Amino acid sequence: MFDDGCGVKLFGTPVAKLPVTSPEDHLVMTRLQWGIIGPGRIAPRIVRALAGNPRGELRAVASRELAKAEQFAAEHGAPVAYGSYEELLADPAIDVVYIPLPNHLHAPWAIRVLDAGKHVLIEKPIALSAEDVDAIGAAATRNGRIAVEAFMYLHHPQISRALEVAASGTLGPLQLINGAFSFLLDHADDPRLVPEMGGGSIWDVGCYPVSFARRIAGEEPDAIAGLARFDESGADRTFVGQLRFPGGLLALFESGFAAADRERIEIVGRDATLVVEHPFLPAPDGPPPAVTLWRDGIAAPVEVESIDQYRAEVDDLQSAILDGTEPRVSLAFSRGNIATLVELRRLAREAADPARA
Ligand SMILES: NC(=O)c1ccc[n+]([C@@H]2O[C@H](COP(=O)([O-])OP(=O)(O)OC[C@H]3O[C@@H](n4cnc5c(N)ncnc54)[C@H](OP(=O)(O)O)[C@@H]3O)[C@@H](O)[C@H]2O)c1
């Protein structure tokens, strides 16, 4: 076990010792220059996180279409727009690149960003195989740069609080983690429904409750079960999974594109249960945080601060780059998540149709 620097115990060996830039860099890099490649739906949240940020600012945005990059730059106050991702990577003024591309492009572009000498914040899921996470780690090491998966929810104080309560013994010995994340997705040409692009609910939203269960357990599962309803293209629309951890903790989760919005986590102990109602997208992008301790049928609200978790995610990476702190989400943690998701998906495919597993 090792400490992730945030008071949370992780496990295993880091994929790569995440390097920091040299001390001289620290002196000059006071306001990191950010670039975004692939400005889609989620990109404005990172723009928001950089607005008025004392340690970083948005410098450039790149799209496969120059006109789209120009429009995004004008709307969001980026001084520079590029008509290709390559041009942004060649801009020597850029220190950090945010990658909100479709899932199958995360690993290849992360490696290109690192090889261009820049740090990188990579949307979840960071890659579609554990080998690709290793390749990102190797690129980070050889270039002395930092790569982090954008699990924004892990930066919210409600999650830190839930982890503290679970570790404090207040709930009694932990028995079970129950997590859910689903929403309705039914426009056919969305990359999230294309298996070759890393489509399917397990990749898109199942990654959240799985990561939470692993974070609580502090170890990798030793038994996994997964079942799903797949569409004709092979993307799962509803997924249910179970994990067992060597320490005895059990976890179950569901993810989906076929039911209206729901997200929830329960940490079930022998003596009490902690419920986080909006664990992944609380305010300002969803309802206010709501954490409740249930004991003997009585609900006691747990006070938590409401913050912009995307801002906290950006600040965490900037601190890793400028101060040399350990990122809250290590590559070792991300690798374990991807390995678990790959196995869950394989098992569900096999159960649905052994010939296509
Ligand atoms: N952390 C979070 O809160 C959160 C929330 C939502 C999504 N995400 C993640 O963020 C990523 C992007 O999600 P999104 O909803 O923003 O996606 P999106 O709106 O579909 O945008 C993706 C962008 O990728 C670029 N792109 C490059 N090659 C593409 C291709 N072959 N097909 C389609 N687009 C392509 C496009 O930009 P150009 O055409 O301009 O180059 C497009 O605008 C996903 O990995 C998702 O899992 C994270």
Side-chain angles (χ1 to χ4, degrees), residues 22-232:
S22 70
E24 302 83 68
D25 287 344
H26 289 195
L27 295 176
V28 291
M29 288 168 60
T30 51
R31 206 148 184 239
L32 294 164
Q33 300 297 300
W34 284 69
I36 297 177
I37 58 174
R41 275 178 298 255
I42 195 62
R45 303 232 175 125
I46 295 301
V47 177
R48 183 178 80 198
L50 288 168
N53 193 308
R55 306 193 90 186
E57 63 187 338
L58 179 62
R59 175 182 162 84
V61 59
S63 164
R64 294 169 300 170
E65 269 177 68
L66 180 59
K68 187 180 162 201
E70 285 172 342
Q71 190 185 342
F72 189 95
E75 272 170 29
H76 296 283
V80 185
Y82 290 116
S84 74
Y85 305 157
E86 287 85 353
E87 284 173 89
L88 188 144
L89 266 52
D91 181 342
I94 302 281
D95 302 306
V96 195
V97 175
Y98 171 53
I99 301 185
L101 297 172
N103 297 345
H104 70 303
L105 298 175
H106 292 177
W109 277 101
I111 292 165
R112 292 180 74 164
V113 168
L114 291 160
D115 283 338
K118 300 165 193 323
H119 306 280
V120 63
L121 177 64
I122 310 155
E123 265 308 338
K124 38 56 61 175
I126 187 170
L128 299 176
S129 70
E131 293 72 23
D132 277 356
V133 186
D134 292 340
I136 293 171
T141 301
R142 73 174 167 264
N143 292 293
R145 293 295 180 263
I146 298 174
V148 171
E149 184 173 23
F151 262 134
M152 73 300 178
Y153 85 100
L154 286 172
H155 299 270
H156 199 287
Q158 69 172 347
I159 297 300
S160 308
R161 191 80 191 95
L163 293 170
E164 274 166 26
V165 171
S168 71
T170 302
L171 307 177
L174 299 187
Q175 307 297 313
L176 186 69
I177 310 297
N178 195 357
F181 197 175
S182 65
F183 67 100
L184 198 55
L185 176 62
D186 51 11
H187 31 104
D189 55 353
D190 193 300
R192 290 172 292 183
L193 293 176
V194 181
E196 299 72 32
M197 299 175 87
S201 86
I202 180 75
W203 285 121
D204 191 52
V205 279
C207 62
Y208 289 100
V210 168
S211 64
F212 184 77
R214 294 179 47 258
R215 196 68 148 186
I216 287 271
E219 57 186 355
E220 299 299 349
D222 62 4
I224 296 179
L227 290 173
R229 198 177 296 125
F230 292 91
D231 64 19
E232 282 177 1

Side-chain angles (χ1 to χ4, degrees), residues 260-348:
D261 286 15
R262 49 193 294 270
E263 47 170 304
R264 187 178 162 92
I265 280 172
E266 292 175 355
I267 307 171
V268 181
R270 184 196 60 195
D271 306 328
T273 295
L274 192 77
V275 179
V276 186
E277 293 289 355
H278 315 293
F280 309 119
L281 280 177
D285 306 299
V291 182
T292 310
L293 183 70
W294 285 89
R295 188 190 298 276
D296 299 330
I298 298 169
V302 176
E303 215 165 289
V304 286
E305 199 189 346
S306 186
I307 64 152
D308 179 349
Q309 58 190 357
Y310 296 92
R311 171 65 186 263
E313 167 181 86
V314 160
D315 287 350
D316 181 73
L317 176 52
Q318 293 187 153
S319 167
I321 296 167
L322 295 171
D323 309 328
T325 54
E326 286 293 320
R328 180 166 292 233
V329 182
S330 69
L331 278 185
F333 180 79
S334 294
R335 185 191 199 280
N337 218 51
I338 297 303
T340 306
L341 296 171
V342 166
E343 183 60 2
L344 279 160
R345 194 178 182 288
R346 188 189 71 75
L347 291 166

